[in-house]
């Protein structure tokens, strides 16, 4: 946070005593502090030369605690920008652009839960203008001032950070363990690595990275984030709102006209022209992969996302020119065949495999095809409908792959030949290396189902996918070394947010199942000394206290057994109604709650041997939710020392941009 | 873990297929892998010259799955030690000591919960010897081999790490936030520091330390630790068992004859003769302070602990000579007057204030006396019976200090004039500085009630004490700078273990209280976008979305208000039965559960407006419990770069010892 102190001093510091509306649960508009809204808002940092849109809004609430001006918004607002201590220049002159036409709309929101229960929304009328595709190249501070309502103003302080001039790394391999906290990494270590008398005999690859940091994951307008706006922070250096991809959320109806910001992938393409790879175990239009290229307030627009992958952001809204693009990434591997098979999920119902092929892509749809395809062409790999299978089902409980009818071909067969994150990532490295023409490459590789399985309270599957991520990092380092690129590649591993999972003891699952009352079943949980040793690192029938090192059929770095009698017991305070038995869910991913007339209730078929745990979340929630805690950052390779310490999520973007020297001051 | 790979290769690696007893919930004896036990056990690392005892045991279980030799233990066992590739020399010759008399005893344990329910323990007969006060000075690997039962053997690999030869820091200030995880630090930042559009305007002091690391907290024989054995790991570089202070837990009846290891405080006294300070907000005989000086398997022996403070470990068991001591620390500040007021809690019922005075101590019993006392004498400061008051009650809800009858004088009045961690720590610095005669000083300062209030699910009080710790670190840095000692002082901040707390959203406490059913009350929890902004950093009546910076009556770095309408919502999956309303507990620390004939049940008087949350823990538990996750380490000052990265808790001892150059190879 280099500019923190200078900006802090510019803000008012006053002591107590205000009386304003206390709207919190639903706020009028995210990063808009008053009736005048400036996007990018106050406290925005830019990379020198990074492209962005400006959106101005003047609000006139018709009713509610902020009702103003009889609901008529000021249409004569003005906007000027001042660099350092210079004069404030009108935006059209400052950026040498035409003034756009005035836009007008209205929207409504609830002030709080009482208003929602009563069905009494507030209506707001809006006058607005937007300026598109701008950039600031001169490092320093800027003051952007919106003047409206005859004397009111909204001021945004912007900072253009001084960029690095020397490129330190040729390639960047950026791993995201979606939803991955340190407690999960610790639990994964417990189940996959043998400890003898408190001393681990092997470690996670993450444990062994050269540099360690923490990043803060909160949103621009809420302290808990979702994966869309946290990925936006990591890739653009801008905090945003829940569900937004590389835009600031404005109040207009369209999700595609919100003010955009340029991503690291777009910058890498525009500045360097290097090769770009996107790999995920989620459907490929999911938020974390989508956030490299897409610009929309609504992460749910999957067909839009794949259109932007193929043709760039301007293709989906040609009236709003966006002069940058990561159009046609060299590698795109994941799930989500429903956006490619012609039908309701694909762009305009067309065959989107064909659309990619028409632009020169090789298309692969199984692990066999993936390993057979060459390295010289752009490659689209889609390996299932929806998210890819979890590591545990692909490797240990393979029967669960059957009966899914999720073949990426859409022929109704099962996608039983899916690659894992490791196979996708190693192949992607080879293609990117072959296609980069020595300009270097950037790849994002996401272990998506750590998050998805934490949502389902399916801790075993979440940890399986976390261990697959760790194994992928380990294999990537070995592969990069083999092809001579390790010394030129910055590797960063982090998460986009957490889930408040932790292990609190062990459970004797045999004893638990044998008891007949909920209260007695809970006696099976052993805490402190009775947590004992890990039951996952010994063979079936072996005591957890046996110090012999054994390997299971997945080799080192994975559990020897996934279903020991003595399991770990874990949980979090943010739950839907559910049942718990602390044992492995062998029949495919867990479904903890089902809907009823009275909201979500515990799924009676989930953990039937367990005990009942009424939830703490709203009964609208049938899953676990994200949490607040800072997440870890592990980095190795050239420039990785910059990732030490504690910083904001947005700083990750600036650190990577500086290692690649993507900033331009002219 | 420098020696990890060399030792790993020495261990057997085999593939699956064993058949042994699966005793886990209650194991026969912690770090004893077979029927022959060696303490220090396999995988122990030593600082060169660090003192330790050896305990050997040969077990003959009379019944149970390991029944052996008709219950007659082999009394003719032998024990030899081999340095590197040399020959294995009998222990008496290796250390030039006499062979001790053979000891014999028996003990019993349950194999699992079924055996406990059935009341069928296993009986074990034991033959044993112990060798006291030894040390190894030559760096390298050692093989210690116990031979018994005509051909069986138990082998322990020991490593003497190569010590640093150059002292880097004069002083060490070691802060422990008991039970403090990154999720708590993140939550404390949320409530005490203002964020504007996702950008914090000020940061925690911990966020700003020079170096960041993670340490693994697990025990030697269970993956969840308590504070006694985790402190043992931090102070001695040896993992131990739950409840043990600076000893390995053997199976004998006495808690005072278990094999000892030398602590960092004893080493610092013996090697350098510097000044020693111990400060805690707990009763001063509690595990974390006690672990600097005491040696006992049972942390509950409070009178023994204070005796060891005053007279050293040999004073409590004169037959077992222990040739090192941190006897008479220069500063001892905390609670726990019940060990000093003559009575059932004090050593032999004597007036222990007087015992300290007789040895030259100044005694202070209030904040007023603390600030008035000089710096030249050894000083004992005891400020209340039991634990000190929490920061929130001392500073915000002061009425809760009344009616406690906890004056440290024992006169039945209230201890209303208590210092906080900050006042105690700053005064301790001054005394240590005055008394160190330029030899330097070592201080441990503990924020104990982070843990104690997490146990009580009283998250507000836990975070209050965490913020007090952060404020103490900030003030200590400023004070060290002022007295010219900052550049010579290594500052390390860490925790001894976690609690699986995390924030998962916001709660509208007004709406929650107004609903009449548990399920509807849960609707007050807002997740993701509805978590909103922090309600703690705005003044009463101000919207949480207001970006103005205001300070409360405790100044910056603390919440403006502790009881906003929109609170954070937090929790963990390891709970006793309890009720929840996510609001501040204004009437003193929380008591979530009370005992009943059916075990612990929710306290009906705790959060009566809230909803019921049946627990997940055994109904024997009336509190929350510790968790597994790695905890953060923050360090600044000379030598602090050694604290970067991911390592085991025991490594903290070696890092500090190396910064002080406490190892001796001759």
């Amino acid at each position: 946070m280099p500019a923190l102190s200078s900006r802090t001093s510019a803000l008012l510091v006053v002591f107590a005593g205000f009386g304003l509306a206390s709207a919190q649960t639903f706020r009028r508009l995210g990063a808009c502090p008053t009736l005048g809204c400036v996007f990018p808002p106050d406290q925005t940092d830019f990379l020198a030369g990074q492209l962005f849109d400006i959106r101005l809004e003047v609000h006139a609430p018709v009713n509610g605690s902020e009702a103003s001006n009889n609901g008529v918004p000021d249409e004569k607002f003005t906007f000027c920008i001042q660099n350092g201590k210079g004069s404030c220049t009108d935006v059209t002159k400052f950026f040498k652009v035409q003034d756009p036409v005035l836009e007008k709309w209205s929207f409504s929101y609830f002030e709080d839960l009482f208003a929602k229960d009563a069905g009494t929304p507030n209506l707001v009328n809006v006058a607005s203008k937007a300026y598109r595709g701008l950039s600031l190249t001169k490092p320093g501070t800027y003051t952007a001032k919106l003047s409206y309502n005859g004397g009111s103003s909204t001021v945004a302080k912007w900072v253009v950070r001084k960029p690095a001039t020397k490129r330190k790394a040729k390639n960047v391999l950026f791993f995201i363990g979606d939803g991955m906290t340190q407690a999960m990494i610790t639990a994964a270590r417990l189940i996959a690595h043998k400890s003898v008398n408190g001393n681990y005999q092997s470690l996670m690859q993450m444990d062994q990275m050269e540099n360690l940091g923490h990043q803060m994951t909160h949103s621009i307008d809420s302290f808990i984030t979702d994966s869309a706006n946290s990925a936006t922070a990591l890739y653009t250096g801008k905090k945003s709102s829940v569900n937004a991809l590389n835009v600031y959320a404005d109040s207009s109806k369209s999700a595609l006209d919100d003010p955009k910001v340029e991503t690291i992938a777009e910058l890498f393409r525009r500045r360097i022209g290097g090769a770009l790879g996107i790999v995920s175990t989620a459907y490929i239009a999911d938020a974390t992969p989508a956030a490299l290229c897409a610009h929309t307030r609504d992460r749910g627009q999957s067909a839009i996302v794949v259109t932007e992958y193929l043709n760039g952001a301007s293709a989906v809204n040609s009236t709003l020119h966006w002069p940058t693009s990561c159009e046609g990434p060299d590698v795109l591997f994941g799930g989500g065949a429903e956006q490619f098979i012609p039908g309701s999920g694909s762009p305009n119902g067309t065959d989107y495999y064909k659309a990619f092929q028409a632009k020169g892509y090789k298309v692969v749809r199984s692990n066999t095809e993936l390993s057979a395809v060459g390295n010289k062409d752009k490659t689209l790999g889609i390996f299932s409908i929806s998210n890819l299978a979890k590591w545990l089902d692909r490797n240990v409980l393979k029967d669960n792959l059957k009966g899914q009818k999720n073949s990426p071909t859409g022929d109704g067969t099962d996608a039983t030949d899916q690659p894992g994150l490791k196979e996708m990532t190693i192949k992607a490295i080879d293609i990117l290396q072959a296609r980069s023409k020595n300009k270097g490459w950037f790849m994002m590789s996401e272990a998506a189902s750590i998050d998805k399985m934490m949502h389902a309270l399916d801790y075993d599957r979440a940890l399986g996918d976390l261990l697959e991520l760790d194994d992928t990092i380990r294999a990537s380092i070995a592969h990069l070394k083999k092809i001579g690129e390790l010394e030129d590649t910055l590797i960063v591993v982090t998460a986009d947010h957490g889930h408040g999972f932790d292990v609190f003891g062990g459970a004797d699952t045999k004893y638990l199942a044998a008891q007949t009352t909920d209260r007695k079943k809970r006696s099976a949980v052993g805490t402190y000394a009775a947590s004992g040793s890990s039951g996952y690192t010994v063979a079936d029938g072996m005591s957890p206290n046996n110090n012999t090192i054994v390997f299971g059929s997945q080799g080192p770095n994975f559990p020897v057994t996934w279903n020991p009698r003595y399991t770990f017991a874990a949980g979090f305070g943010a739950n839907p109604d559910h049942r718990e038995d602390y044992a492995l869910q062998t029949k495919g991913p867990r479904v903890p709650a089902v809907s009823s007339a009275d909201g979500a209730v515990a799924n009676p078929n989930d953990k039937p041997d367990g005990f009942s745990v009424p939830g703490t979340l709203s009964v609208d929630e049938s899953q676990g939710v994200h949490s607040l805690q800072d997440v870890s950052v592990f980095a190795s390779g050239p420039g990785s020392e910059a990732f030490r310490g504690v910083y904001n999520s947005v700083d990750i973007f600036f650190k990577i941009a500086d290692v690649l020297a993507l900033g331009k001051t002219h």
Side-chain angles (χ1 to χ4, degrees), chain A residues 99-312:
Chain A
D99 212 39
V101 291
L102 187 77
E103 301 171 67
K104 292 170 73 173
W105 64 75
S106 58
F107 71 97
S108 67
Y109 74 103
F110 294 111
E111 268 190 24
D112 66 8
L113 289 164
F114 291 107
K116 191 184 170 206
D117 281 356
T120 53
N122 292 356
L123 180 69
V124 183
N125 292 321
V126 182
S128 173
K129 284 181 185 173
Y131 304 84
R132 307 279 175 182
L134 311 170
S135 72
L136 294 164
T137 50
K138 190 180 158 195
T141 60
Y142 294 78
T143 308
K145 185 176 176 184
L146 174 68
S147 301
Y148 58 98
N149 286 0
S152 295
S153 64
T154 298
V155 174
K157 295 273 180 191
W158 296 340
V159 171
V160 176
R161 295 195 191 177
K162 194 162 187 294
T165 49
K166 193 169 163 257
R167 183 171 172 184
K168 288 188 178 171
K170 203 170 93 184
N171 315 310
V172 173
L173 179 47
F174 188 51
F175 286 106
I176 294 187
D178 203 304
M180 177 176 71
T181 66
Q182 194 55 41
M184 298 173 204
I185 297 167
T186 314
R189 190 194 300 125
L190 176 78
I191 67 170
H193 295 271
K194 179 71 184 174
S195 175
V196 174
N197 291 335
N199 194 20
Y200 275 103
Q201 304 300 300
S202 59
L203 292 172
M204 303 281 286
Q205 182 59 46
M206 289 182 232
D207 294 334
Q208 303 175 65
M209 301 290 275
E210 291 162 19
N211 292 289
L212 171 69
H214 287 166
Q215 48 126 335
M216 312 173 194
T217 69
H218 54 273
S219 302
I220 201 166
D221 52 4
S222 65
F223 51 79
I224 307 293
T225 185
D226 81 320
S227 292
N229 84 95
S230 58
T232 296
L234 296 171
Y235 302 158
T236 70
K238 313 285 171 282
K239 296 269 186 187
S240 188
S241 303
V242 168
N243 295 332
L245 290 169
N246 305 313
V247 299
Y248 289 105
D250 67 20
S251 69
S252 76
K253 214 158 249 154
S254 166
L256 294 174
D257 70 349
D258 298 48
K260 300 179 179 65
V261 285
E262 190 174 23
T263 73
I264 191 91
E266 290 169 328
L267 273 158
F268 185 68
R269 272 289 175 87
R270 186 162 68 89
R271 290 270 186 241
I272 292 176
L276 176 64
I278 302 175
V279 173
S280 175
T281 55
Y283 62 100
I284 202 67
D286 199 8
T288 309
L292 282 163
C293 297
H295 299 267
T296 165
R297 193 175 68 231
D298 177 11
R299 60 181 274 180
Q301 297 177 313
S302 297
I304 294 283
V305 168
V306 296
T307 306
E308 293 195 46
Y309 281 141
L310 189 61
N311 299 316

Side-chain angles (χ1 to χ4, degrees), chain A residues 325-631:
Chain A
S325 163
C326 68
E327 184 182 333
D330 299 81
V331 171
L332 204 54
F333 291 165
E338 60 273 34
Q339 269 77 61
F340 296 87
I341 300 163
S344 61
S346 73
N348 302 315
T350 60
D351 185 330
Y352 229 56
Y353 289 125
K354 279 196 183 148
F356 270 75
Q357 281 166 328
K359 280 208 157 185
Y361 275 82
K362 284 271 184 297
V363 175
V364 293
R365 279 173 284 209
S366 69
N367 191 31
T368 307
E369 288 177 18
L370 176 72
S371 56
V373 77
N375 295 331
K376 75 178 201 333
D377 295 312
K378 288 191 177 191
T379 309
L380 173 72
I382 301 296
F383 304 105
S384 76
I385 290 173
S386 187
N387 302 306
L388 297 188
K390 315 312 164 229
W391 181 92
L392 196 53
D393 297 316
R394 256 189 311 104
N395 290 277
V396 181
L397 302 162
K398 299 179 189 178
D399 278 353
N400 292 328
L401 301 182
K402 294 176 190 161
Q404 301 294 321
K405 299 179 182 169
N406 60 343
S407 167
T409 61
D411 66 1
T413 62
D414 300 332
T416 51
D417 183 21
Q418 300 179 38
L421 188 66
K422 182 162 76 172
E423 292 74 32
M424 293 192 292
T425 304
I426 300 294
K427 184 66 192 180
I429 289 174
D430 286 339
I431 295 172
L432 294 174
Q433 186 60 23
R435 292 185 54 80
S436 67
K437 302 188 187 75
N438 237 21
K439 289 179 176 171
W441 47 263
F442 178 99
M443 189 203 320
M444 192 288 296
S445 172
E446 185 206 15
S449 289
I450 300 171
D451 177 70
K452 295 180 193 303
M453 292 297 94
M454 279 287 156
H455 277 293
L457 319 187
D458 196 331
Y459 304 134
D460 291 310
R461 277 177 181 74
L463 296 184
D465 276 44
L466 195 159
L467 287 168
E468 180 184 42
L469 169 62
D470 200 59
D471 197 45
T472 303
I473 302 164
R474 191 181 290 107
S476 296
I477 289 171
H479 191 69
L480 287 167
K481 197 167 182 184
K482 195 176 107 187
I483 65 172
E485 290 290 312
L486 186 61
E487 313 259 292
D488 292 324
T489 305
L490 168 68
I491 303 176
V492 179
V493 185
T494 191
D496 48 354
H497 60 78
H499 288 251
F501 162 95
D502 207 352
V503 171
F504 53 79
D508 181 344
T509 55
K510 184 177 166 185
Y511 184 83
L512 194 156
Q515 309 310 309
T516 51
T517 70
D518 276 12
R519 289 179 77 77
K520 189 68 181 158
K521 280 175 187 287
R522 286 159 55 185
S523 304
V525 176
T527 55
Y528 305 108
S531 64
S533 302
S534 174
Y536 298 80
T537 58
V538 289
D540 210 21
M542 239 171 116
S543 162
N545 309 328
N546 190 309
N547 285 339
T548 313
I549 296 176
V550 298
F551 293 149
S553 52
Q554 282 79 43
N557 309 313
F558 287 96
V560 178
T561 176
W562 275 96
N563 206 0
R565 170 174 167 186
Y566 294 97
T567 60
F568 66 81
F572 181 33
N575 291 318
D577 285 5
H578 65 290
R579 303 181 61 78
E580 190 49 82
D581 67 0
Y582 299 117
L584 176 68
Q585 182 83 347
T586 53
K587 294 176 197 160
R590 188 171 177 189
V591 180
V594 291
S595 54
S596 79
D598 188 30
V601 293
N603 179 357
N605 300 319
D606 181 73
K607 315 273 190 182
D609 270 356
F611 56 93
S612 163
V613 186
T616 52
L617 293 173
S618 163
V619 299
D620 298 340
E621 277 288 358
S622 59
Q623 291 214 320
V625 295
H626 296 180
S627 72
L628 179 69
Q629 64 181 293
D630 295 347
V631 295

